[in-house]
Amino acid sequence: MIGHAILALVLCALAPAAARAQAEEPAPAEAPAVHDLAALSRAAERNWPSLRAAQHSLSAARARLGEATISPFFQFQLTGAVTLAPEARGTPVFSPDPELPLDNPWRPVASIGVEGAIPLYTFGKLQAARAAARAGVRAAEQERGRARARLLYDVRRAYYNLQLALDTLQMIGEGQGKLEQAVEQLEERIEEGDPDVNEHDRWRLSTTLAEVEGRRSEAVRLERTARAGLETLTGIRNVQIPECPIEAVELEPRPASHYLRQAGVSRPEIAMLEAGIAAREANVDATEARYFPDIALALSAAISYGPGVTDQSNPFVSDPANRRSLGAALVARWSFDLWGNVYRVRRAESQLLETRAQADEARRGIALEVQAAYEELEDARRREEAWGRGHRDARSWFVASAQAYQVGALEPRDLVDAVKTYFTSRFNHLQAIRDYNIAAASLERVTGTELLPLDGWERPCEE
């Protein structure tokens, strides 16, 4: 009987989403590990390359800061040389050799020297270099936070999509077979000439079946793409999640103004913009300091040794092949390219103003992004509440319609309408829950503030 088939469909549709049955249970040794959202998030943090890249970038920025701090005080050069020179005889007063004694025996000559300068006062050049390097470290630290926030959002979005897909497939699997059986039985009754049914009833059932099949295709695509996304992000093969229905996260939203303030102080991009401005300001200071000289302590030491070339013991006689020197001086180095530096200062100041304008634009964009995420959260909350009521009412309608049809007090088309409404309401409710959870994750990302602990983004699964 068509009534019994549809009634079985209705009763099967009322089963809880948590009772997803598997075709066969694998052996315990072969069963894949089940990972909840918190475990997948931690695995993604260990696996995702962008976090490793951000860490390497931070190490490079710290190395630049160390270089800017230490390197200016170690600008010394060591020069060594080995050559050949002809032997020189006699004294500075008289020598039997010609002016260029190239015919004399040639002897080896070795020399080594060290020279450099220690900066004493640079009119702010060194301070500006260190300030720019410190800004680079701050920017690199915030870049890692930005990459982590984006990664956690992507993991949560894929996880909630997978939950929605599995719940939808479970819901469709409960009723599709019974609905197909009901269509076949209805066609048989029409062929037999049963006056209680007609073509309109079959069309209603067929249309409902087509919609169910379409929803199933969408759910399969969503399930496969979400699972592939989680596997890519976490590095875990054959991701399995707990067999629990999707539920809204326990979040108490606060006014939009609160999240706007939080984004202004916690968003990584804001801190990166401030670091960029600090680096530009340091560049202006360093460029302006080029109008002034660098004052330093110059040091030098050198020795050359050429046995057999000359042997002058008089310290007042120049003997390049056998010489020792040691010196220190207070020096100043000043570039006279002052007019060119005027343009360099103008360029640095313009770049600073450009960065400030870009930062102002970014702050406005972030505020708009936070407002949009907040409105998405509120919209999803309202839809979840509305479809929750519709879901409960449709379920009551189902139960009442099934009972009425069983006693012959309801037409088949009315029962089909109840079945279709129930499935539609239930799916829309699940989708609204998914949207709410993703909107909450998006709000955390755009504000840069932890709205929930890592293990608080999924309610405990009740058996």
Side-chain angles (χ1 to χ4, degrees), residues 79-266:
T79 304
V82 176
T83 186
L84 294 175
E87 180 183 275
R89 297 175 296 175
T91 68
V93 178
F94 172 77
S95 175
D97 296 328
E99 184 176 355
L100 294 176
L102 300 180
D103 294 334
N104 290 354
W106 288 67
R107 308 294 185 183
V109 179
S111 65
I112 186 170
V114 178
E115 61 180 1
I118 299 176
L120 299 179
Y121 193 73
T122 62
F123 292 90
K125 298 183 184 70
L126 294 183
Q127 293 87 336
R130 288 193 289 267
R134 285 192 295 268
V137 172
R138 294 197 300 272
E141 290 173 344
Q142 296 301 322
E143 171 60 24
R144 189 184 189 285
R146 187 200 65 81
R148 180 178 182 272
R150 181 68 195 186
L151 174 63
L152 293 179
Y153 170 73
D154 290 339
V155 171
R156 290 163 186 167
R157 181 176 59 177
Y159 188 87
Y160 295 137
N161 281 331
L162 180 57
Q163 278 191 319
L164 174 63
L166 294 177
D167 282 353
T168 302
L169 290 173
Q170 178 269 334
M171 178 183 67
I172 293 173
E174 289 175 353
Q176 185 175 4
K178 297 296 184 181
L179 189 59
E180 292 173 348
Q181 183 180 359
V183 172
E184 294 176 359
Q185 292 178 351
L186 186 60
E187 290 178 347
E188 292 177 358
R189 293 182 61 187
I190 292 175
E191 292 176 357
E192 294 172 357
D194 191 337
D196 294 334
V197 296
N198 53 49
E199 288 289 337
H200 295 282
D201 296 327
R202 184 180 66 178
W203 291 337
R204 285 187 177 88
L205 277 175
S206 298
T207 302
T208 303
L209 180 60
E211 182 177 355
V212 169
E213 292 174 348
R215 292 290 188 185
R216 180 179 183 84
S217 177
E218 294 175 356
V220 169
R221 175 184 60 83
L222 182 62
E223 185 266 340
R224 291 177 179 175
T225 55
R227 198 182 297 277
L230 286 175
E231 292 176 356
T232 300
L233 292 170
T234 63
I236 299 175
R237 299 291 299 273
N238 190 20
V239 170
Q240 299 295 325
I241 66 175
E243 295 289 332
C244 304
I246 186 172
E247 294 188 61
V249 297
E250 296 180 344
L251 175 66
E252 293 293 335
R254 305 180 68 175
S257 58
H258 168 77
Y259 297 110
L260 290 171
R261 288 192 300 269
Q262 289 297 110
V265 297
S266 302

Side-chain angles (χ1 to χ4, degrees), residues 141-413:
E141 290 173 344
Q142 296 301 322
E143 171 60 24
R144 189 184 189 285
R146 187 200 65 81
R148 180 178 182 272
R150 181 68 195 186
L151 174 63
L152 293 179
Y153 170 73
D154 290 339
V155 171
R156 290 163 186 167
R157 181 176 59 177
Y159 188 87
Y160 295 137
N161 281 331
L162 180 57
Q163 278 191 319
L164 174 63
L166 294 177
D167 282 353
T168 302
L169 290 173
Q170 178 269 334
M171 178 183 67
I172 293 173
E174 289 175 353
Q176 185 175 4
K178 297 296 184 181
L179 189 59
E180 292 173 348
Q181 183 180 359
V183 172
E184 294 176 359
Q185 292 178 351
L186 186 60
E187 290 178 347
E188 292 177 358
R189 293 182 61 187
I190 292 175
E191 292 176 357
E192 294 172 357
D194 191 337
D196 294 334
V197 296
N198 53 49
E199 288 289 337
H200 295 282
D201 296 327
R202 184 180 66 178
W203 291 337
R204 285 187 177 88
L205 277 175
S206 298
T207 302
T208 303
L209 180 60
E211 182 177 355
V212 169
E213 292 174 348
R215 292 290 188 185
R216 180 179 183 84
S217 177
E218 294 175 356
V220 169
R221 175 184 60 83
L222 182 62
E223 185 266 340
R224 291 177 179 175
T225 55
R227 198 182 297 277
L230 286 175
E231 292 176 356
T232 300
L233 292 170
T234 63
I236 299 175
R237 299 291 299 273
N238 190 20
V239 170
Q240 299 295 325
I241 66 175
E243 295 289 332
C244 304
I246 186 172
E247 294 188 61
V249 297
E250 296 180 344
L251 175 66
E252 293 293 335
R254 305 180 68 175
S257 58
H258 168 77
Y259 297 110
L260 290 171
R261 288 192 300 269
Q262 289 297 110
V265 297
S266 302
R267 181 80 179 259
E269 287 85 345
I270 296 293
M272 293 173 67
L273 291 171
E274 294 174 350
I277 292 175
R280 291 295 192 188
E281 290 174 343
N283 183 44
V284 172
D285 295 339
T287 307
E288 290 178 342
R290 296 177 67 175
Y291 286 122
F292 306 98
D294 295 333
I295 300 175
L297 177 63
L299 303 172
S300 64
I303 183 173
S304 61
Y305 180 59
V309 177
T310 59
D311 189 10
Q312 298 291 343
S313 60
N314 189 341
F316 300 100
V317 175
S318 176
D319 185 3
N322 295 274
R323 183 178 60 182
R324 296 171 179 82
S325 65
L326 181 65
L330 189 65
V331 299
R333 184 176 182 179
W334 196 355
S335 173
F336 284 144
D337 186 18
L338 302 180
W339 188 245
N341 201 53
V342 171
Y343 294 101
R344 285 189 287 270
V345 170
R346 290 180 183 177
R347 181 180 62 190
E349 291 175 341
S350 297
Q351 291 173 339
L352 173 60
L353 294 175
E354 176 191 12
T355 304
R356 286 175 174 170
Q358 292 172 343
D360 184 55
E361 178 186 9
R363 288 189 182 94
R364 298 184 185 186
I366 288 174
L368 183 60
E369 192 177 23
V370 172
Q371 190 67 43
Y374 181 80
E375 293 303 328
E376 288 178 3
L377 181 68
E378 288 295 291
D379 170 62
R381 179 185 60 80
R382 292 190 294 267
R383 286 190 289 111
E384 192 277 329
E385 293 176 353
W387 284 115
R389 293 193 301 270
H391 183 185
R392 291 188 295 270
D393 293 342
R395 183 179 185 279
S396 300
W397 183 13
F398 268 151
V399 173
S401 298
Q403 293 174 348
Y405 187 82
Q406 189 174 17
V407 299
L410 192 72
E411 295 294 329
R413 59 178 175 271

